[in-house]
Amino acid sequence: AATKRGAHLAMSLERLERAVAEFDVSYAIAEAAARYGYVRPHLHEGTGIDIRDGRHPMVERALAAGEFVPNDVMLSSDDEQIVVLTGPNMAGKSTYLRMAAVIVLMAQAGCYVPASSASIGVTDRIFTRVGAGDDLTSGQSTFMVEMIETSAILHNATGRSLLILDEIGRGTSTYDGMAIARAVVEFIHNRPDAAARSLFATHYHELVELASFLPRVRNCNV
């Protein structure tokens, strides 16, 4: 009997802990939304992503009030599918990419989002290829790690995925890297079963030419 009472008490405590945890998360989300001016996103079954005056929730907290420059994000599998983003170092390309991914993730987690408005098509997965790093213990160079991750993204993305690609091809020579970057953009654009919405930041300014003959590629500059 004592064992049964102990098991029942443990189950009751577990349910109480789960309820308190859910309340704590919900309260924190609501408090952040009220304190920092977040808005309720509109989720829909289409593929469009329309974020107006989006902000990165962490970066803006590290800056003085009003210093973060908000930006719009507009993507759609049947129109503005791929944004090729260029600009100098320290201009904010990576922050823009991460901002878009975080807002989409927050919206689907049930959070209000840092923007003036946000309409977001349901997204099955967010794939990212950002940063640079090697895996010396496995004998993988920075370039090899980048290619393995990029390959995994291209094989698993669907038309409802969001791809965040930051400077693909930088781990090798200029001309090889540019060829790889171009091939990745063309593959994403021309694959009918997986026209994933993509943000593609690059220093290869030659890639802006893709918008002249790939109809769903758009050029943006920071």
Side-chain angles (χ1 to χ4, degrees), residues 88-221:
N89 289 321
M90 298 296 292
K93 298 189 302 298
S94 296
T95 299
Y96 180 82
L97 266 60
R98 289 169 170 82
M99 176 200 76
V102 170
I103 288 177
V104 170
L105 181 62
M106 289 176 67
Q108 296 211 171
C111 305
Y112 279 37
V113 300
S116 62
S117 68
S119 178
I120 298 171
V122 174
T123 303
D124 58 5
R125 281 167 289 187
I126 300 173
F127 291 99
T128 64
R129 165 86 281 281
V130 297
D134 52 30
D135 187 355
L136 298 179
T137 59
S138 300
Q140 295 178 352
S141 66
T142 301
F143 175 69
M144 178 60 79
V145 170
E146 181 181 286
M147 291 299 97
I148 290 173
E149 293 181 359
T150 301
S151 175
I153 291 171
L154 298 181
H155 279 89
N156 292 287
T158 72
R160 285 203 169 273
S161 301
L162 174 63
L163 310 189
I164 303 298
L165 305 171
D166 196 359
E167 297 191 39
I168 295 294
R170 64 181 165 184
T172 187
S173 66
T174 300
Y175 290 110
D176 289 347
M178 186 166 58
I180 291 169
R182 175 169 176 160
V184 169
V185 173
E186 290 182 347
F187 180 86
I188 296 170
H189 181 278
N190 295 330
R191 187 178 175 189
D193 61 327
R197 298 156 294 180
S198 307
L199 294 175
F200 193 101
T202 184
H203 280 296
Y204 298 131
H205 291 272
E206 293 82 356
L207 295 185
V208 302
E209 297 175 0
L210 294 174
S212 65
F213 60 89
L214 296 179
R216 296 189 306 281
V217 173
R218 298 291 183 272
N219 292 325
C220 289
N221 178 262

Side-chain angles (χ1 to χ4, degrees), residues 1-14:
T3 302
K4 289 183 179 180
R5 285 196 298 271
H8 180 72
L9 178 61
M11 291 177 62
S12 298
L13 286 174
E14 184 178 347

